[in-house]
Amino acid sequence: MSAHPPSAATLRRLERASGAIATRAVARMDDDLPWFRMLPADQRSWVGLVAQAGIASLVEWCRHPGRPPRLTGEVFGAAPRELVRVMPLKHTVDLVKLTAEVMDDHVESVAEPGDVDALRVAVLQYSREVAFATAHVYASFAENRGAWDARLEALVVDALVRGERSEELPGRAAALGWADTSPVTVLVGAAPDVGDAHAAVRRAARSQSCEVMVGVHADQLVVVLGGAEDVGAAADRVAEEFGPGPVVLGPVVDRLSAAGGSAAAALAGWRAARAWPGAPRPVRADALLPERALDGDPLARAALTERVVRPLRGAGGGVLETVRAVLAGGGNLEASARALFVHPNTVRYRLRRATELTGQVATDPRGAWTLQVALVLADLDGGRSLWH
């Protein structure tokens, strides 16, 4: 404070003028700050209340020189948390600066004779104090918000891993900025033995312009990726941050509320991936359907029936019989043709048709394995789900 603080009469006049000054400050914000004009009406109203509370706090500060501004209780008033959430620090500092300028413009009309310089110095010093205090509030909020977000993120990831259909999930996800994020997929692998897995995964996801949530469950690292332009490239980069062993990529879904299925498939794939030592990293959960089905995953077994067995059965024209013959003959087309009493070109045509229907190539080792497992499981079912 200056050597001669504003008189009590000046402070009373400032109190009476606080409403008009705050209204003028908000009008200046609307004129000078393009981003302020884009705020919703309720947030603009908060700013007006805060501006008026700031002027009242200035009066109290002048009455008690040397006391730091009580920013949270006096200045931000009823909406500290909301303002910090929706407004970055730079914007808040702009608001403080502009409000101080408006108060300075009113000094001569408010101050009693002989108090002009004292009030102007008080406004300048107070605005500096508020700017410093604002930075402290934002820093404290960021620390608290970081801890809260970490807990909320853990709850969301845990719900996806457990397959819960909680009504609270959309709200929790929205609080983390995932309201409209799409597409979404889940990666599962081993947690790294050293380092901060959360931080490393976040850096990797940011490098791919992705939203991300991370959870560690026992020895599993579960990563939810959202908004990737190239899901494959993003998964490849993030997979580098997992521990040794397979990393499984769940199916891509269009929203977070559907990501429980992606997580279930990725987790089932991770449990079964040891049966395919040569799997790529990351490997898609759908590429592990044979291993998942043999490991007892009913969703994988149903998927093989729907994607492989039913299309082959419905194709007619000897397609299913030809696939069986080629599998039994180890991929030898000529031997298969002789066994079926058809020309080798007929075998080739039917195999192309089978590939179109199932996406699997009977003469490729991996495709042959997938077809073989699907057909064997269907046979073991006794045809109950297939023929009826």
Side-chain angles (χ1 to χ4, degrees):
M1 285 288 295
S2 63
H4 303 286
S7 66
T10 292
L11 296 180
R12 286 194 298 271
R13 293 182 64 178
L14 180 60
E15 281 183 309
R16 289 194 294 270
S18 63
I21 295 174
T23 299
R24 178 56 189 154
V26 173
R28 277 279 306 277
M29 295 170 195
D30 196 65
D31 291 338
D32 297 353
L33 303 174
W35 58 263
F36 182 79
R37 293 193 291 271
M38 304 299 293
L39 292 178
D42 59 340
Q43 294 174 18
R44 290 160 59 92
S45 176
W46 290 341
V47 172
L49 293 174
V50 168
Q52 188 166 351
I55 298 170
S57 182
L58 165 63
V59 173
E60 288 301 310
W61 185 69
C62 290
R63 287 172 175 162
H64 303 89
R67 191 205 74 175
R70 295 175 182 173
L71 188 64
T72 301
E74 294 179 359
V75 180
F76 275 151
R81 189 175 298 274
E82 288 81 355
L83 280 179
V84 174
R85 282 176 178 166
V86 302
M87 197 174 297
L89 175 60
K90 181 181 182 304
H91 287 177
T92 303
V93 172
D94 287 343
L95 297 181
V96 170
K97 179 181 177 183
L98 193 147
T99 302
E101 291 175 357
V102 172
M103 285 194 293
D104 187 73
D105 292 341
H106 285 74
V107 164
E108 292 187 4
S109 63
V110 170
E112 292 283 346
D115 268 356
V116 171
D117 290 341
L119 183 57
R120 180 163 283 126
V121 170
V123 168
L124 176 62
Q125 292 179 336
Y126 180 76
S127 64
R128 290 175 177 171
E129 291 285 346
V130 170
F132 284 121
T134 300
H136 177 72
V137 166
Y138 270 75
S140 299
F141 181 83
E143 182 178 353
N144 294 335
R145 179 60 188 264
W148 168 252
D149 282 355
R151 291 193 294 270
L152 190 60
E153 178 182 34
L155 287 173
V156 173
V157 175
D158 186 65
L160 293 176
V161 168
R162 295 177 182 276
E164 297 177 1
R165 297 184 177 274
S166 172
E167 295 180 357
E168 298 176 354
L169 182 60
R172 291 173 177 172
L176 292 169
W178 279 74
D180 300 313
T181 302
S182 180
V184 178
T185 190
V186 178
L187 279 164
V188 175
D193 296 330
V194 296
D196 185 348
H198 289 70
V201 168
R202 292 187 203 287
R203 286 193 298 269
R206 282 197 297 268
S207 73
Q208 300 296 312
S209 301
C210 290
E211 299 289 342
V212 65
M213 288 187 287
V214 187
V216 176
H217 294 257
D219 56 348
Q220 298 170 344
L221 179 62
V222 180
V223 176
V224 185
L225 292 178
E229 293 185 4
D230 186 336
V231 173
D236 288 345
R237 174 63 187 89
V238 172
E240 297 174 8
E241 306 304 332
F242 283 74
V247 176
V248 180
L249 176 65
V252 177
V253 296
D254 61 357
R255 61 192 184 282
L256 185 64
S257 60
S262 182
L267 289 164
W270 188 69
R271 289 190 294 267
R274 62 183 180 273
W276 184 10
R281 178 184 156 113
V283 57
R284 294 184 180 273
D286 282 357
L288 288 160
L289 286 177
E291 288 79 9
R292 289 168 52 194
L294 293 175
D295 194 41
D297 180 4
L299 295 178
R301 195 160 181 159
L304 287 175
T305 297
E306 291 298 322
R307 300 179 192 181
V308 176
V309 183
R310 287 189 183 278
L312 291 178
R313 178 61 180 175
V319 172
L320 177 57
E321 291 77 4
T322 300
V323 168
R324 288 187 181 277
V326 171
L327 294 176
N332 188 314
L333 301 189
E334 286 73 16
S336 300
R338 289 194 297 270
L340 294 169
F341 302 102
V342 297
H343 193 278
N345 285 341
T346 301
V347 173
R348 294 185 179 92
Y349 168 78
R350 292 175 179 175
L351 290 183
R352 283 197 298 271
R353 179 63 177 152
T355 299
E356 292 172 357
L357 292 169
T358 67
Q360 305 295 332
V361 180
T363 55
D364 172 78
R366 186 68 195 172
W369 163 248
T370 301
L371 291 165
Q372 189 78 58
V373 171
L375 294 172
V376 167
L377 290 176
D379 290 340
L380 291 175
D381 281 341
R384 288 187 300 272
S385 62
L386 177 59
W387 317 127
H388 302 289

